[in-house]
Amino acid sequence: MGSIKRLSPSEAREVLPDLVSLLQDIVQGGSSVGFLPPLIDETAEKFWLETIEDIKRNERVLLVYREDGRIIGTAQLALATRQNGLHRVEVQKMLVHSQHRKRGIGRALLNEVDSVARQLNRTLLVLDTEEGSAAENLYANCGYTRVGVIPQFALTTEGSLISTVVFYKILDSSL
């Protein structure tokens, strides 16, 4: 059984190779998550270093799921920083290593996302995912409401255009 931890900037730096490897596994497996294969080390590392800078500025939270000392899942909370949006967070980079899927890791990460959002007084969660993906079903099963589809939103790893589905979830602030 693994555990979930919120990483500080220094902790994230210490596990940078694991984060790079996880992102590469996801992209190689066909999920673009903003990248196209082959995802070279330098590009993946640059992304994680930018993420760490966002954490330093209190604009982002990085959660990792660790099992046997290895990071096999992540979720990020991108915190809205404008005065009129301080109740809002965007869930990003929900990643689970291809060899560890269908074990409840994604659901566990989403439960922790809810918990952290509540701790930060964030009550509206938004996200998007590839239409027809397993993640689409996961979000619906975890209480997210489907808003709609944006056609031709991004390139797939094969180079064709795919649609994205937008979801939201409102957390009960009294819990």
Side-chain angles (χ1 to χ4, degrees), residues 111 114-123 169-175:
N111 287 338
D114 288 0
S115 177
V116 170
R118 282 187 180 97
Q119 291 168 16
L120 298 172
N121 296 314
R122 306 290 174 135
T123 56
K169 182 176 187 178
I170 297 176
L171 299 176
D172 181 351
S173 59
S174 67
L175 297 177

Side-chain angles (χ1 to χ4, degrees), residues 22 25-26 28-29 72 95-102:
L22 175 63
D25 171 74
I26 299 300
Q28 186 62 33
I72 59 172
L95 311 174
V96 176
H97 194 280
S98 61
Q99 295 177 351
H100 298 276
R101 294 190 180 143
K102 306 264 187 228

